[in-house]
Amino acid sequence: MDDFRPIMPSLIRLLAGVIVLLVLQSIVLGFPGMTQNIANTSMTMTSVAALTIGLVACVVVLKFGTQLSNAVGEGYRSMRTYAPLLGYFFQIAALWILYTASKDITSSLFTSAPWAYPLTFLVLAIVPTVRVVVNIVHVLEEHGTQKHTL
């Protein structure tokens, strides 16, 4: 277990946060009357509760996943180059959670252009993708030039 000591605090925070939110979601969505519509809208209390829990889950995955990727990069020298890729994974996971959590609430807004909702998240996902590719290429080119100069 000593080999995993650098990443254990951030890994435990991430897993505990996700587990607590999954349990909370299953409890809250099981309350009686959650499927009733909110007055004068087509939204239900279930969709509002799912959006709220999804937003919190998005923040938990983004914050603690980023901490985990930083801990991996700092704790394991051989993984330092690929730590941004792990951070990218958590950023995309947070975007996916946000996408699925807000789909029920926003579906009525995109009835005339159903392609606009996924396109919005695709554009949001391009930003971290470009950033991580540029960082990894820069780091790999830096390692290649250091070997040639020796």
Side-chain angles (χ1 to χ4, degrees), residues 33-38 41-50 104-105:
M34 290 295 286
T35 58
Q36 295 178 354
N37 285 346
I38 298 173
T41 64
S42 63
M43 294 184 292
T44 63
M45 286 302 295
T46 303
S47 60
V48 172
D104 292 338
I105 295 285

Side-chain angles (χ1 to χ4, degrees), residues 58-141:
C58 177
V59 170
V60 165
V61 167
L62 188 61
K63 179 178 169 62
F64 296 138
T66 305
Q67 285 180 0
L68 178 63
S69 66
N70 291 338
V72 166
E74 292 171 4
Y76 303 106
R77 187 178 185 145
S78 62
M79 295 299 293
R80 188 168 290 149
T81 303
Y82 301 105
L85 193 60
L86 184 60
Y88 167 75
F89 169 76
F90 287 114
Q91 290 171 359
I92 295 299
L95 274 174
W96 179 77
I97 291 169
L98 184 63
Y99 175 81
T100 57
S102 61
K103 187 184 286 189
D104 292 338
I105 295 285
T106 59
S107 63
S108 63
L109 298 173
F110 293 102
T111 54
S112 62
W115 51 266
Y117 181 71
L119 183 65
T120 303
F121 282 91
L122 180 64
V123 168
L124 287 174
I126 288 175
V127 174
T129 303
V130 169
R131 191 176 65 201
V132 79
V133 167
V134 167
N135 285 342
I136 288 178
V137 167
H138 177 69
V139 168
L140 290 175
E141 285 178 348

Side-chain angles (χ1 to χ4, degrees), residues 17-36:
V18 169
I19 290 169
V20 165
L21 286 170
L22 287 173
V23 169
L24 180 69
Q25 181 179 2
S26 65
I27 290 172
V28 169
L29 295 183
F31 287 160
M34 290 295 286
T35 58
Q36 295 178 354

